[in-house]
Amino acid sequence: MTEVEKLINALRASPKTKDELERVVSFKTEVKNLVYTAKKKGFQISYESGKYRLT
């Protein structure tokens, strides 16, 4: 499973903070870079009230 897939699966379950997402994906990977990559692949992710949300 790729890091982007891990990110999307985590966000499908519920909105997550940056810290929560860092626990799901590799600590070497920047969450903001994963979000950017996922958006380039067509996923819509928003950031509201300190949490990332799959929309």
Side-chain angles (χ1 to χ4, degrees), residues 28-47:
K28 294 180 181 177
T29 305
E30 288 280 333
V31 169
K32 66 180 181 176
N33 292 340
L34 280 178
V35 169
Y36 177 74
T37 301
K39 285 181 175 182
K40 284 178 59 177
K41 291 186 177 208
F43 292 98
Q44 294 182 349
I45 300 172
S46 62
Y47 184 76

Side-chain angles (χ1 to χ4, degrees), residues 9-37:
N9 287 338
L11 291 176
R12 281 189 176 135
S14 66
K16 304 271 189 283
T17 64
K18 181 179 181 250
D19 291 336
E20 291 169 326
L21 288 173
E22 284 177 342
R23 290 184 213 128
V24 174
V25 299
S26 169
F27 280 104
K28 294 180 181 177
T29 305
E30 288 280 333
V31 169
K32 66 180 181 176
N33 292 340
L34 280 178
V35 169
Y36 177 74
T37 301

